[in-house]
mmCIF file of all heavy atoms in Angstrom:
data_model
loop_
_atom_site.group_PDB
_atom_site.id
_atom_site.type_symbol
_atom_site.label_atom_id
_atom_site.label_comp_id
_atom_site.label_asym_id
_atom_site.label_seq_id
_atom_site.Cartn_x
_atom_site.Cartn_y
_atom_site.Cartn_z
ATOM 1 N N MET A 1104 103.293 127.154 90.553
ATOM 2 C CA MET A 1104 102.666 127.669 89.340
ATOM 3 C C MET A 1104 103.716 128.053 88.306
ATOM 4 O O MET A 1104 103.537 127.835 87.105
ATOM 5 C CB MET A 1104 101.797 128.891 89.659
ATOM 6 C CG MET A 1104 101.237 129.578 88.422
ATOM 7 S SD MET A 1104 100.160 130.991 88.811
ATOM 8 C CE MET A 1104 98.614 130.140 89.085
ATOM 9 N N ILE A 1105 104.828 128.625 88.798
ATOM 10 C CA ILE A 1105 105.890 129.113 87.926
ATOM 11 C C ILE A 1105 107.211 128.512 88.374
ATOM 12 O O ILE A 1105 107.527 128.502 89.560
ATOM 13 C CB ILE A 1105 105.972 130.651 87.970
ATOM 14 C CG1 ILE A 1105 104.781 131.269 87.218
ATOM 15 C CG2 ILE A 1105 107.287 131.168 87.404
ATOM 16 C CD1 ILE A 1105 104.674 132.759 87.389
ATOM 17 N N LYS A 1106 107.970 128.015 87.408
ATOM 18 C CA LYS A 1106 109.318 127.537 87.700
ATOM 19 C C LYS A 1106 110.213 127.864 86.518
ATOM 20 O O LYS A 1106 109.887 127.556 85.370
ATOM 21 C CB LYS A 1106 109.311 126.031 87.959
ATOM 22 C CG LYS A 1106 110.663 125.486 88.408
ATOM 23 C CD LYS A 1106 110.560 124.010 88.757
ATOM 24 C CE LYS A 1106 111.891 123.478 89.257
ATOM 25 N NZ LYS A 1106 111.803 122.041 89.618
ATOM 26 N N THR A 1107 111.333 128.507 86.792
ATOM 27 C CA THR A 1107 112.299 128.792 85.741
ATOM 28 C C THR A 1107 113.626 128.120 86.072
ATOM 29 O O THR A 1107 113.998 127.994 87.240
ATOM 30 C CB THR A 1107 112.536 130.305 85.544
ATOM 31 O OG1 THR A 1107 113.266 130.821 86.675
ATOM 32 C CG2 THR A 1107 111.224 131.049 85.402
ATOM 33 N N GLN A 1108 114.323 127.685 85.022
ATOM 34 C CA GLN A 1108 115.625 127.038 85.185
ATOM 35 C C GLN A 1108 116.634 127.697 84.245
ATOM 36 O O GLN A 1108 116.470 127.652 83.022
ATOM 37 C CB GLN A 1108 115.510 125.537 84.889
ATOM 38 C CG GLN A 1108 114.608 124.796 85.866
ATOM 39 C CD GLN A 1108 114.471 123.320 85.546
ATOM 40 O OE1 GLN A 1108 114.602 122.903 84.412
ATOM 41 N NE2 GLN A 1108 114.202 122.524 86.575
ATOM 42 N N ASN A 1109 117.630 128.350 84.838
ATOM 43 C CA ASN A 1109 118.700 129.000 84.064
ATOM 44 C C ASN A 1109 118.150 129.923 82.971
ATOM 45 O O ASN A 1109 118.660 129.957 81.848
ATOM 46 C CB ASN A 1109 119.628 127.957 83.448
ATOM 47 C CG ASN A 1109 120.391 127.194 84.508
ATOM 48 O OD1 ASN A 1109 120.811 127.762 85.516
ATOM 49 N ND2 ASN A 1109 120.559 125.902 84.292
ATOM 50 N N LEU A 1110 117.113 130.675 83.318
ATOM 51 C CA LEU A 1110 116.447 131.541 82.343
ATOM 52 C C LEU A 1110 117.336 132.741 82.017
ATOM 53 O O LEU A 1110 117.741 133.488 82.903
ATOM 54 C CB LEU A 1110 115.117 132.019 82.923
ATOM 55 C CG LEU A 1110 114.058 132.501 81.930
ATOM 56 C CD1 LEU A 1110 113.523 131.321 81.124
ATOM 57 C CD2 LEU A 1110 112.913 133.169 82.681
ATOM 58 N N SER A 1111 117.627 132.917 80.732
ATOM 59 C CA SER A 1111 118.485 134.019 80.296
ATOM 60 C C SER A 1111 117.849 134.724 79.109
ATOM 61 O O SER A 1111 117.110 134.121 78.322
ATOM 62 C CB SER A 1111 119.873 133.514 79.903
ATOM 63 O OG SER A 1111 120.536 132.925 81.016
ATOM 64 N N LYS A 1112 118.162 136.020 78.997
ATOM 65 C CA LYS A 1112 117.657 136.808 77.869
ATOM 66 C C LYS A 1112 118.750 137.746 77.393
ATOM 67 O O LYS A 1112 119.325 138.498 78.180
ATOM 68 C CB LYS A 1112 116.421 137.610 78.268
ATOM 69 C CG LYS A 1112 115.826 138.439 77.132
ATOM 70 C CD LYS A 1112 115.238 137.561 76.033
ATOM 71 C CE LYS A 1112 114.591 138.390 74.944
ATOM 72 N NZ LYS A 1112 114.007 137.548 73.869
ATOM 73 N N ILE A 1113 119.020 137.686 76.080
ATOM 74 C CA ILE A 1113 120.023 138.550 75.462
ATOM 75 C C ILE A 1113 119.347 139.377 74.379
ATOM 76 O O ILE A 1113 118.632 138.833 73.523
ATOM 77 C CB ILE A 1113 121.169 137.727 74.847
ATOM 78 C CG1 ILE A 1113 121.894 136.926 75.936
ATOM 79 C CG2 ILE A 1113 122.147 138.638 74.111
ATOM 80 C CD1 ILE A 1113 122.917 135.953 75.389
ATOM 81 N N PHE A 1114 119.538 140.682 74.430
ATOM 82 C CA PHE A 1114 119.090 141.565 73.362
ATOM 83 C C PHE A 1114 120.322 141.946 72.547
ATOM 84 O O PHE A 1114 121.272 142.527 73.084
ATOM 85 C CB PHE A 1114 118.420 142.814 73.923
ATOM 86 C CG PHE A 1114 117.133 142.538 74.656
ATOM 87 C CD1 PHE A 1114 117.079 142.546 76.045
ATOM 88 C CD2 PHE A 1114 115.972 142.253 73.953
ATOM 89 C CE1 PHE A 1114 115.898 142.296 76.720
ATOM 90 C CE2 PHE A 1114 114.780 141.987 74.620
ATOM 91 C CZ PHE A 1114 114.736 142.011 75.999
ATOM 92 N N ALA A 1115 120.301 141.604 71.260
ATOM 93 C CA ALA A 1115 121.488 141.828 70.437
ATOM 94 C C ALA A 1115 121.180 142.735 69.254
ATOM 95 O O ALA A 1115 120.127 142.623 68.625
ATOM 96 C CB ALA A 1115 122.039 140.500 69.932
ATOM 97 N N THR A 1116 122.091 143.661 68.984
ATOM 98 C CA THR A 1116 122.063 144.472 67.777
ATOM 99 C C THR A 1116 123.413 144.301 67.087
ATOM 100 O O THR A 1116 124.293 143.596 67.591
ATOM 101 C CB THR A 1116 121.831 145.953 68.104
ATOM 102 O OG1 THR A 1116 122.970 146.457 68.839
ATOM 103 C CG2 THR A 1116 120.566 146.147 68.945
ATOM 104 N N LYS A 1117 123.586 144.945 65.949
ATOM 105 C CA LYS A 1117 124.866 144.863 65.244
ATOM 106 C C LYS A 1117 125.996 145.473 66.072
ATOM 107 O O LYS A 1117 127.148 145.048 65.990
ATOM 108 C CB LYS A 1117 124.770 145.580 63.898
ATOM 109 C CG LYS A 1117 123.878 144.875 62.891
ATOM 110 C CD LYS A 1117 123.845 145.629 61.573
ATOM 111 C CE LYS A 1117 122.955 144.925 60.560
ATOM 112 N NZ LYS A 1117 122.904 145.668 59.262
ATOM 113 N N GLU A 1118 125.639 146.482 66.880
ATOM 114 C CA GLU A 1118 126.656 147.212 67.629
ATOM 115 C C GLU A 1118 126.982 146.589 68.985
ATOM 116 O O GLU A 1118 128.101 146.664 69.471
ATOM 117 C CB GLU A 1118 126.213 148.670 67.853
ATOM 118 C CG GLU A 1118 126.158 149.527 66.600
ATOM 119 C CD GLU A 1118 124.934 149.244 65.752
ATOM 120 O OE1 GLU A 1118 123.936 148.757 66.318
ATOM 121 O OE2 GLU A 1118 124.981 149.492 64.539
ATOM 122 N N MET A 1119 125.971 145.978 69.621
ATOM 123 C CA MET A 1119 126.214 145.518 70.991
ATOM 124 C C MET A 1119 125.275 144.389 71.374
ATOM 125 O O MET A 1119 124.286 144.113 70.704
ATOM 126 C CB MET A 1119 126.061 146.682 71.976
ATOM 127 C CG MET A 1119 124.656 147.275 72.040
ATOM 128 S SD MET A 1119 124.523 148.668 73.177
ATOM 129 C CE MET A 1119 124.888 147.879 74.738
ATOM 130 N N GLU A 1120 125.632 143.753 72.476
ATOM 131 C CA GLU A 1120 124.834 142.665 73.040
ATOM 132 C C GLU A 1120 124.563 142.978 74.507
ATOM 133 O O GLU A 1120 125.487 143.258 75.264
ATOM 134 C CB GLU A 1120 125.599 141.354 72.900
ATOM 135 C CG GLU A 1120 124.835 140.131 73.364
ATOM 136 C CD GLU A 1120 125.612 138.854 73.109
ATOM 137 O OE1 GLU A 1120 125.535 138.331 71.980
ATOM 138 O OE2 GLU A 1120 126.306 138.397 74.042
ATOM 139 N N THR A 1121 123.288 142.937 74.904
ATOM 140 C CA THR A 1121 122.908 143.231 76.284
ATOM 141 C C THR A 1121 122.316 141.989 76.926
ATOM 142 O O THR A 1121 121.331 141.424 76.427
ATOM 143 C CB THR A 1121 121.875 144.373 76.341
ATOM 144 O OG1 THR A 1121 122.417 145.530 75.720
ATOM 145 C CG2 THR A 1121 121.519 144.695 77.797
ATOM 146 N N ARG A 1122 122.923 141.565 78.035
ATOM 147 C CA ARG A 1122 122.396 140.415 78.779
ATOM 148 C C ARG A 1122 121.418 140.924 79.832
ATOM 149 O O ARG A 1122 121.812 141.385 80.890
ATOM 150 C CB ARG A 1122 123.538 139.629 79.415
ATOM 151 C CG ARG A 1122 124.451 138.974 78.398
ATOM 152 C CD ARG A 1122 125.530 138.119 79.044
ATOM 153 N NE ARG A 1122 126.314 137.442 78.031
ATOM 154 C CZ ARG A 1122 126.001 136.249 77.520
ATOM 155 N NH1 ARG A 1122 124.934 135.614 77.961
ATOM 156 N NH2 ARG A 1122 126.766 135.700 76.593
ATOM 157 N N ALA A 1123 120.131 140.840 79.507
ATOM 158 C CA ALA A 1123 119.096 141.380 80.390
ATOM 159 C C ALA A 1123 118.801 140.451 81.564
ATOM 160 O O ALA A 1123 118.519 140.908 82.671
ATOM 161 C CB ALA A 1123 117.822 141.647 79.596
ATOM 162 N N LEU A 1124 118.869 139.141 81.322
ATOM 163 C CA LEU A 1124 118.663 138.142 82.381
ATOM 164 C C LEU A 1124 119.792 137.128 82.327
ATOM 165 O O LEU A 1124 120.203 136.693 81.246
ATOM 166 C CB LEU A 1124 117.323 137.420 82.203
ATOM 167 C CG LEU A 1124 116.047 138.257 82.290
ATOM 168 C CD1 LEU A 1124 114.815 137.370 82.043
ATOM 169 C CD2 LEU A 1124 115.923 138.954 83.639
ATOM 170 N N ARG A 1125 120.269 136.722 83.521
ATOM 171 C CA ARG A 1125 121.397 135.797 83.603
ATOM 172 C C ARG A 1125 121.038 134.602 84.494
ATOM 173 O O ARG A 1125 121.052 134.707 85.722
ATOM 174 C CB ARG A 1125 122.622 136.506 84.180
ATOM 175 C CG ARG A 1125 123.074 137.733 83.379
ATOM 176 C CD ARG A 1125 124.109 138.523 84.155
ATOM 177 N NE ARG A 1125 124.500 139.746 83.488
ATOM 178 C CZ ARG A 1125 125.580 139.884 82.719
ATOM 179 N NH1 ARG A 1125 126.381 138.864 82.553
ATOM 180 N NH2 ARG A 1125 125.854 141.036 82.145
ATOM 181 N N LYS A 1126 120.640 133.520 83.874
ATOM 182 C CA LYS A 1126 120.408 132.247 84.567
ATOM 183 C C LYS A 1126 119.526 132.405 85.812
ATOM 184 O O LYS A 1126 119.936 132.107 86.936
ATOM 185 C CB LYS A 1126 121.741 131.581 84.919
ATOM 186 C CG LYS A 1126 122.546 131.183 83.692
ATOM 187 C CD LYS A 1126 123.795 130.395 84.061
ATOM 188 C CE LYS A 1126 124.536 129.942 82.796
ATOM 189 N NZ LYS A 1126 125.745 129.160 83.108
ATOM 190 N N ILE A 1127 118.309 132.856 85.578
ATOM 191 C CA ILE A 1127 117.338 133.043 86.658
ATOM 192 C C ILE A 1127 116.712 131.701 87.030
ATOM 193 O O ILE A 1127 116.109 131.026 86.194
ATOM 194 C CB ILE A 1127 116.230 134.023 86.236
ATOM 195 C CG1 ILE A 1127 116.804 135.405 85.908
ATOM 196 C CG2 ILE A 1127 115.144 134.104 87.323
ATOM 197 C CD1 ILE A 1127 117.292 136.177 87.109
ATOM 198 N N ASN A 1128 116.855 131.306 88.283
ATOM 199 C CA ASN A 1128 116.191 130.123 88.830
ATOM 200 C C ASN A 1128 115.183 130.593 89.866
ATOM 201 O O ASN A 1128 115.555 131.159 90.891
ATOM 202 C CB ASN A 1128 117.207 129.167 89.460
ATOM 203 C CG ASN A 1128 118.117 128.544 88.416
ATOM 204 O OD1 ASN A 1128 117.664 127.858 87.510
ATOM 205 N ND2 ASN A 1128 119.420 128.806 88.526
ATOM 206 N N LEU A 1129 113.928 130.346 89.574
ATOM 207 C CA LEU A 1129 112.858 130.936 90.374
ATOM 208 C C LEU A 1129 111.681 129.979 90.448
ATOM 209 O O LEU A 1129 111.335 129.319 89.467
ATOM 210 C CB LEU A 1129 112.412 132.253 89.712
ATOM 211 C CG LEU A 1129 111.185 132.979 90.262
ATOM 212 C CD1 LEU A 1129 111.433 133.442 91.694
ATOM 213 C CD2 LEU A 1129 110.854 134.171 89.361
ATOM 214 N N GLU A 1130 111.075 129.905 91.625
ATOM 215 C CA GLU A 1130 109.858 129.107 91.792
ATOM 216 C C GLU A 1130 108.828 129.927 92.555
ATOM 217 O O GLU A 1130 109.141 130.524 93.594
ATOM 218 C CB GLU A 1130 110.166 127.806 92.529
ATOM 219 C CG GLU A 1130 109.022 126.808 92.485
ATOM 220 C CD GLU A 1130 109.462 125.385 92.828
ATOM 221 O OE1 GLU A 1130 110.680 125.151 92.981
ATOM 222 O OE2 GLU A 1130 108.581 124.515 92.935
ATOM 223 N N ILE A 1131 107.626 129.980 92.014
ATOM 224 C CA ILE A 1131 106.534 130.754 92.615
ATOM 225 C C ILE A 1131 105.350 129.830 92.817
ATOM 226 O O ILE A 1131 104.896 129.171 91.867
ATOM 227 C CB ILE A 1131 106.131 131.948 91.726
ATOM 228 C CG1 ILE A 1131 107.336 132.856 91.466
ATOM 229 C CG2 ILE A 1131 105.000 132.742 92.383
ATOM 230 C CD1 ILE A 1131 107.079 133.921 90.417
ATOM 231 N N ASN A 1132 104.854 129.766 94.039
ATOM 232 C CA ASN A 1132 103.750 128.870 94.351
ATOM 233 C C ASN A 1132 102.402 129.492 94.014
ATOM 234 O O ASN A 1132 102.234 130.715 94.050
ATOM 235 C CB ASN A 1132 103.773 128.500 95.841
ATOM 236 C CG ASN A 1132 104.966 127.645 96.193
ATOM 237 O OD1 ASN A 1132 105.346 126.733 95.452
ATOM 238 N ND2 ASN A 1132 105.573 127.930 97.336
ATOM 239 N N LYS A 1133 101.462 128.642 93.703
ATOM 240 C CA LYS A 1133 100.097 129.083 93.465
ATOM 241 C C LYS A 1133 99.564 129.782 94.716
ATOM 242 O O LYS A 1133 99.713 129.296 95.829
ATOM 243 C CB LYS A 1133 99.218 127.881 93.122
ATOM 244 C CG LYS A 1133 97.804 128.238 92.718
ATOM 245 C CD LYS A 1133 97.041 126.995 92.290
ATOM 246 C CE LYS A 1133 95.632 127.363 91.857
ATOM 247 N NZ LYS A 1133 94.869 126.159 91.439
ATOM 248 N N GLY A 1134 98.963 130.973 94.533
ATOM 249 C CA GLY A 1134 98.407 131.727 95.649
ATOM 250 C C GLY A 1134 99.393 132.646 96.335
ATOM 251 O O GLY A 1134 99.044 133.342 97.289
ATOM 252 N N GLU A 1135 100.626 132.699 95.848
ATOM 253 C CA GLU A 1135 101.648 133.549 96.454
ATOM 254 C C GLU A 1135 101.541 134.984 95.947
ATOM 255 O O GLU A 1135 101.063 135.240 94.839
ATOM 256 C CB GLU A 1135 103.039 132.988 96.140
ATOM 257 C CG GLU A 1135 104.167 133.669 96.906
ATOM 258 C CD GLU A 1135 105.508 132.981 96.712
ATOM 259 O OE1 GLU A 1135 105.600 132.012 95.934
ATOM 260 O OE2 GLU A 1135 106.476 133.425 97.356
ATOM 261 N N PHE A 1136 101.995 135.923 96.746
ATOM 262 C CA PHE A 1136 102.132 137.330 96.344
ATOM 263 C C PHE A 1136 103.622 137.634 96.438
ATOM 264 O O PHE A 1136 104.182 137.748 97.518
ATOM 265 C CB PHE A 1136 101.325 138.226 97.273
ATOM 266 C CG PHE A 1136 101.196 139.666 96.815
ATOM 267 C CD1 PHE A 1136 100.128 140.439 97.241
ATOM 268 C CD2 PHE A 1136 102.116 140.257 95.961
ATOM 269 C CE1 PHE A 1136 99.988 141.759 96.834
ATOM 270 C CE2 PHE A 1136 101.997 141.569 95.540
ATOM 271 C CZ PHE A 1136 100.922 142.325 95.979
ATOM 272 N N LEU A 1137 104.270 137.755 95.276
ATOM 273 C CA LEU A 1137 105.710 137.953 95.210
ATOM 274 C C LEU A 1137 106.028 139.338 94.680
ATOM 275 O O LEU A 1137 105.462 139.776 93.678
ATOM 276 C CB LEU A 1137 106.347 136.911 94.287
ATOM 277 C CG LEU A 1137 107.846 137.065 94.008
ATOM 278 C CD1 LEU A 1137 108.664 136.749 95.253
ATOM 279 C CD2 LEU A 1137 108.271 136.181 92.841
ATOM 280 N N ALA A 1138 106.946 140.027 95.337
ATOM 281 C CA ALA A 1138 107.454 141.307 94.846
ATOM 282 C C ALA A 1138 108.892 141.131 94.394
ATOM 283 O O ALA A 1138 109.682 140.449 95.049
ATOM 284 C CB ALA A 1138 107.371 142.368 95.943
ATOM 285 N N ILE A 1139 109.214 141.745 93.255
ATOM 286 C CA ILE A 1139 110.582 141.726 92.732
ATOM 287 C C ILE A 1139 111.073 143.166 92.689
ATOM 288 O O ILE A 1139 110.469 144.016 92.032
ATOM 289 C CB ILE A 1139 110.644 141.101 91.331
ATOM 290 C CG1 ILE A 1139 110.114 139.659 91.374
ATOM 291 C CG2 ILE A 1139 112.069 141.124 90.794
ATOM 292 C CD1 ILE A 1139 109.994 139.011 90.020
ATOM 293 N N MET A 1140 112.174 143.437 93.403
ATOM 294 C CA MET A 1140 112.698 144.792 93.504
ATOM 295 C C MET A 1140 114.094 144.881 92.873
ATOM 296 O O MET A 1140 114.790 143.881 92.743
ATOM 297 C CB MET A 1140 112.774 145.232 94.975
ATOM 298 C CG MET A 1140 111.443 145.237 95.693
ATOM 299 S SD MET A 1140 111.566 146.030 97.316
ATOM 300 C CE MET A 1140 111.750 147.762 96.831
ATOM 301 N N GLY A 1141 114.450 146.104 92.513
ATOM 302 C CA GLY A 1141 115.779 146.327 91.948
ATOM 303 C C GLY A 1141 115.801 147.629 91.181
ATOM 304 O O GLY A 1141 114.756 148.204 90.860
ATOM 305 N N PRO A 1142 117.000 148.139 90.868
ATOM 306 C CA PRO A 1142 117.115 149.417 90.170
ATOM 307 C C PRO A 1142 116.631 149.328 88.725
ATOM 308 O O PRO A 1142 116.481 148.237 88.163
ATOM 309 C CB PRO A 1142 118.623 149.708 90.226
ATOM 310 C CG PRO A 1142 119.254 148.351 90.324
ATOM 311 C CD PRO A 1142 118.309 147.525 91.143
ATOM 312 N N SER A 1143 116.394 150.475 88.117
ATOM 313 C CA SER A 1143 116.008 150.511 86.708
ATOM 314 C C SER A 1143 117.079 149.828 85.856
ATOM 315 O O SER A 1143 118.279 149.987 86.105
ATOM 316 C CB SER A 1143 115.838 151.960 86.242
ATOM 317 O OG SER A 1143 114.778 152.578 86.935
ATOM 318 N N GLY A 1144 116.627 149.049 84.881
ATOM 319 C CA GLY A 1144 117.564 148.383 83.983
ATOM 320 C C GLY A 1144 118.137 147.086 84.496
ATOM 321 O O GLY A 1144 119.008 146.491 83.853
ATOM 322 N N CYS A 1145 117.631 146.596 85.642
ATOM 323 C CA CYS A 1145 118.208 145.371 86.205
ATOM 324 C C CYS A 1145 117.600 144.104 85.620
ATOM 325 O O CYS A 1145 118.066 143.002 85.897
ATOM 326 C CB CYS A 1145 118.065 145.360 87.725
ATOM 327 S SG CYS A 1145 116.388 145.075 88.309
ATOM 328 N N GLY A 1146 116.526 144.239 84.827
ATOM 329 C CA GLY A 1146 115.924 143.062 84.203
ATOM 330 C C GLY A 1146 114.553 142.686 84.736
ATOM 331 O O GLY A 1146 113.963 141.693 84.291
#
């Protein structure tokens, strides 16, 4: 159902650049129950 290839996200301001996602490769099948864990601010 879901497939990502090298998915990246950058939030940029005049002062700084934040790389929120770095080349995410992910595949999720139809009917799956997926949990994504990690600390606050990890994306």
